Amino acid sequence: MSESPVIDLPTPTSAADPFAAEHLENPEPLHRALREAGPVVHLTRYNVHALARYREVHAALVDWQNFQSGAGVGLADFRREKPWRTPSLLLEADPPHHDAPRRVLREILAPPVLRRLSETWQRVADELVETVLAERGPRFDAFEALAVAFPLRVFPDAVGLGPEGRENLLPYGNMAFNAFGPVNELVTADAHRAGGLTTWVNARCAREALGEDGFGARIWAAADRGELTHEQAPLVVRSLLTAGVDTTVHGLAATLHAFATHPDSWQRLRERPGLARVAFDEAVRRQSPVQTFFRTATTDVTIAGTVVPEGSKVLMFLGSANRDPARWTDPDRFDLTRDPSGHVGFGMGIHQCVGQHVARLEAETLLTALVRKVDRIEPDGDPRRHLNNTLRSWASLPVRIRPAA
Ligand code: QZP
């Protein structure tokens, strides 16, 4: 037999645990080490292949044929382990099953439809900022007062959720995003309330539980038109309640933190409020509220010379791809003059965040309210992180502001 002309370099390995508190608290050093180790790194602790460079993360995201979602986008392999909840019809599904739910939600969350919400959301944002300034004064926790308060005021209403139990939304999301990682202390700490939170969320997805004019009702109406089955409708509503709250809360917090620590950027936004959307995307690029998720190889796939065996999990470091110096100039900088489009903070390809326009509208209305009333925003002590296996999340963001004259 002839020898292969290609010289196979061994795939680099790492014993690091990306879900250890040390790395969740400060992921950049591990990201840098993984990017520099090679295009594919075998993580021995979990027996998964890690992608930390932009090129490979992007390539895997758009290749749904070789990298499936149906076996789960967390560490758990749904082909061998029972999922903790009924799999999502969008996130944890592949074509063709994925396509009908995706189309329904894409139409309900499309920009022309959302435009009808923007006036109301702007008014709510203006009122919220006014109240915060009047009642809390110039020093407050921007995480609780703005990043949490605003999405919780507008998004559940837009879905058509009833008023009771909304305090369960963030704990449910925290649990769901932890569940994509390994069963570590972050997961076991929530185990006692998993049943209660799941029961509450599932009950909210029923047609009777939802208002007559909201995203939820429109999902059920799509089922009436035959675009979905009536069994699928509540699960699509559940996707909104899982993916739509914590993500925007921590994305907005990342944006506010970026402005507090980059006063020049705040002044630039005040001069050009039209930059609000770009600012949000640049903050999503730089902080990547969704740090990681997985795919599963459907066949033996070769990535940059490494064979990823059929059935093995591939861990994609979105946060690392979004700061890969091979793709971004001065990647650690929050820079309103750059074009952040192409970042993978919302994913890429057929699963790319279907709610991204909702998130951008929340950011745009909140930032617009803030630039109208705030001259300066600066840190007032160190922010605190909340640790989650998937989300780069916050516990507090103390700021001091100077109200506009
Ligand atoms: C979570 C769902 C980055 C993703 C893991 C966010 C996400 C998207 C969809 C769902 C949950 O459909 O439940």
Side-chain angles (χ1 to χ4, degrees), residues 66-67 297-303 306-312:
N66 281 315
F67 300 102
T298 56
T299 174
D300 291 353
V301 196
T302 304
I303 307 176
T306 291
V307 177
V308 177
E310 188 271 323
S312 66

Side-chain angles (χ1 to χ4, degrees), residues 85 88 91 177 180 239 242-243 290 293:
R85 59 174 198 170
S88 163
L91 179 72
F177 282 96
F180 295 121
S239 285
T242 311
V290 176
F293 51 83

Side-chain angles (χ1 to χ4, degrees), residues 73-74 85-92 105 172 176-177 180 235-244 247 289-295 318 345-347 351 353-354 390-391:
V73 301
R85 59 174 198 170
T86 308
S88 163
L89 300 178
L90 289 123
L91 179 72
E92 294 152 336
L105 214 44
Y172 180 80
F177 282 96
F180 295 121
L235 278 170
V236 177
V237 178
R238 193 193 66 179
S239 285
L240 292 180
L241 300 182
T242 311
T247 48
V290 176
Q291 283 275 300
T292 46
F293 51 83
F294 295 79
R295 295 286 191 251
L318 307 184
F346 287 121
H351 289 280
C353 181
V354 75
T390 302
L391 294 175

Side-chain angles (χ1 to χ4, degrees), residues 45 59 96 124 142-143 180 182 190 193 203 208 226 234 241-242 249 261 296 304 313-314 317 341-342 376 390 393 400:
R45 183 179 169 118
V124 174
F143 177 68
F180 295 121
D190 266 353
R193 55 178 182 170
E208 313 76 61
L241 300 182
T242 311
V249 163
T261 51
T296 309
K313 287 274 173 176
V314 178
F317 284 88
S341 63
R376 248 187 11 215
T390 302
S393 40
R400 178 193 292 273

Side-chain angles (χ1 to χ4, degrees), residues 31-317:
H31 291 174
R32 190 172 314 122
L34 292 174
R35 280 194 308 263
E36 286 171 5
V40 184
V41 182
H42 184 244
L43 297 184
T44 53
R45 183 179 169 118
Y46 298 113
N47 188 28
V48 301
H49 288 85
L51 312 178
R53 296 184 183 176
Y54 181 89
R55 180 199 297 270
E56 281 73 27
V57 168
H58 186 282
L61 282 169
V62 299
D63 185 359
W64 57 268
Q65 293 93 338
N66 281 315
F67 300 102
Q68 65 158 323
S69 292
V73 301
L75 180 61
D77 182 350
F78 290 0
R79 297 171 310 173
R80 294 186 291 110
E81 300 161 63
K82 187 174 148 41
W84 72 280
R85 59 174 198 170
T86 308
S88 163
L89 300 178
L90 289 123
L91 179 72
E92 294 152 336
D94 299 297
H97 314 287
H98 164 266
D99 303 339
R102 171 78 187 195
R103 186 174 316 116
V104 166
L105 214 44
R106 187 188 353 99
E107 285 169 11
I108 291 170
L109 304 178
V113 184
L114 296 183
R115 244 171 259 139
R116 287 188 262 153
L117 288 169
S118 73
E119 222 175 284
T120 311
W121 287 14
Q122 191 59 66
R123 194 176 58 245
V124 174
D126 287 333
E127 282 166 12
L128 175 67
V129 170
E130 191 137 313
T131 310
V132 168
L133 298 192
E135 291 177 2
R136 305 205 191 207
R139 300 175 64 200
F140 57 89
D141 178 2
F143 177 68
E144 284 300 333
L146 299 172
V148 172
F150 184 60
L152 282 177
R153 209 156 289 184
V154 293
F155 185 72
D157 281 353
V159 173
L161 204 70
E164 279 107 60
R166 290 182 174 194
E167 69 280 1
N168 290 317
L169 287 169
L170 285 171
Y172 180 80
N174 185 55
M175 185 175 78
F177 282 96
N178 274 329
F180 295 121
V183 184
N184 57 17
E185 321 69 63
L186 295 173
V187 172
T188 55
D190 266 353
H192 67 283
R193 55 178 182 170
L197 290 168
T198 304
T199 302
W200 180 82
V201 164
N202 290 345
R204 304 276 72 70
C205 300
R207 179 167 228 163
E208 313 76 61
L210 294 159
E212 281 171 19
D213 179 35
F215 301 148
R218 281 173 224 153
I219 290 167
W220 280 97
D224 291 344
R225 293 193 300 271
E227 296 169 20
L228 287 175
T229 68
H230 285 92
E231 288 69 47
Q232 289 178 310
L235 278 170
V236 177
V237 178
R238 193 193 66 179
S239 285
L240 292 180
L241 300 182
T242 311
V245 186
D246 304 61
T247 48
T248 51
V249 163
H250 297 294
L252 291 174
T255 311
L256 296 172
H257 177 255
F259 278 118
T261 51
H262 296 74
D264 296 354
S265 295
W266 184 251
Q267 296 316 318
R268 194 176 165 83
L269 182 70
R270 289 182 62 225
E271 287 154 24
R272 297 181 52 191
L275 287 173
R277 278 169 181 263
V278 173
F280 177 64
D281 269 89
E282 170 65 351
V284 170
R285 180 197 68 79
R286 183 164 168 274
Q287 287 283 323
S288 302
V290 176
Q291 283 275 300
T292 46
F293 51 83
F294 295 79
R295 295 286 191 251
T296 309
T298 56
T299 174
D300 291 353
V301 196
T302 304
I303 307 176
T306 291
V307 177
V308 177
E310 188 271 323
S312 66
K313 287 274 173 176
V314 178
L315 173 50
M316 304 175 296
F317 284 88

Side-chain angles (χ1 to χ4, degrees), residues 8-27:
D8 284 328
L9 295 171
T11 302
T13 65
S14 166
D17 177 3
F19 304 97
E22 164 199 7
H23 298 305
L24 296 177
E25 184 80 47
N26 177 27

